[in-house]
Amino acid sequence: MEIPYTVEPRPDTGLYNAKLGIWLFLASEVMLFGALFSTYILLRTGNPNWVQHPMDVPLATLNTMILISSSVTVVLAWAGLRLKNFAQFRKYGILTMLLAGGFMVVKGIEYSAEFSAGLFPWTDNYMAVYFTMTGLHGLHILGGMVVLAYLLGPGAKMWDSNPEQFTNRIEVFGLYWHFVDLVWIFLFPSLYLL
Amino acid sequence: MSAHDSPEAIQAETRKYIMVFAALAVLTVITVAVSYLDLSIGLAVTLAMIVASVKGTLVAAYFMHLLDERKTIYAILGLTMFFFVVLMILPVGAFSDHNGASTEVAHEVDGEHH
């Protein structure tokens, strides 16, 4: 049986199903990260002896630049498919993958330096919040990399059989990726600068 | 193919994406620069959150195309934002109950490691 509304929009929602699905998923993600931000506010404002360790701001700034660059490469990859230019999709898709890998490497360097300085999730409340939030965010980056690897590899065969559905898949992936970028935009000042 | 999907429209969108990227890069530099100023914590938090919100709005509006989306998505996001705001207000409620329990718990937990 063929799955309906993978390309054409459903008459009642005006959306193809995957797009509705990703927005519902992102709504749940807003609440997940929202709960963590709320916890952070509660712990920090409720503790007069809050300990804030100095973090590596230059490395975190570099990671911010890397993530916003990857958001651009994702939309350019999607634009490539809409222009029926698979080579453009592939080029910007690979670039996105490299940027995502770069983000994880920089994060790894940061974690390594923090562990060497004796800072662990159980050190104090700040480090617990820091590792929980950046760790969960990092897992989202890793998850995105796995999906993108599939879409650039075996999943790309769909471009030959059903280009419209494949273009929609890239749009849906892009929405997820931009959300991960958006979360970092708030994590960066909250955990590193304030 | 709708006018929205014409090559000219897509190329115009692409130029917009590059401009948004430039704006995000500049705002990131501003965020970091402001953090080096000797501001009170209240002002620092307010400024940082304003800049982050502008950046977030740019990403949502242009990269996630929320400027031009279906009503279904706006409805989902409206409901989500309502509950998100409730989540952000919860800590305020925790303090306004005047029992001080949350402060003591946070203090004790952090105090165990010092």
Side-chain angles (χ1 to χ4, degrees), chain B residues 10-74:
Chain B
I10 295 169
Q11 273 152 10
E13 267 180 47
T14 302
R15 283 192 291 275
K16 221 178 276 177
Y17 296 145
I18 303 296
M19 283 164 63
V20 170
F21 166 70
L24 289 171
V26 169
L27 287 167
T28 301
V29 172
I30 290 172
T31 310
V32 177
V34 165
S35 75
Y36 285 105
L37 299 176
D38 190 20
L39 301 172
S40 67
I41 185 70
L43 186 58
V45 169
T46 306
L47 279 177
M49 287 303 116
I50 287 172
V51 178
S53 299
V54 172
K55 287 169 75 181
T57 304
L58 285 173
V59 170
Y62 291 98
F63 291 163
M64 299 173 92
H65 337 116
L66 282 181
L67 276 182
D68 178 27
E69 261 306 348
R70 301 284 175 186
K71 280 182 187 162
T72 312
I73 290 176
Y74 292 139

Side-chain angles (χ1 to χ4, degrees), chain A residues 123-143:
Chain A
T123 302
D124 53 37
N125 280 348
Y126 172 69
M127 293 316 298
V129 168
Y130 168 83
F131 279 113
T132 302
M133 294 181 88
T134 57
L136 185 65
H137 180 266
L139 283 177
H140 279 74
I141 297 277
L142 271 182

Side-chain angles (χ1 to χ4, degrees), chain A residues 6-7 9 17 38 40 48 81 104 126 128 143 151-152 155 176:
Chain A
T6 53
V7 174
N17 281 350
S38 183
Y40 175 40
L81 292 182
M104 292 307 289
Y126 172 69
L151 291 169
L152 284 168
Y176 168 81

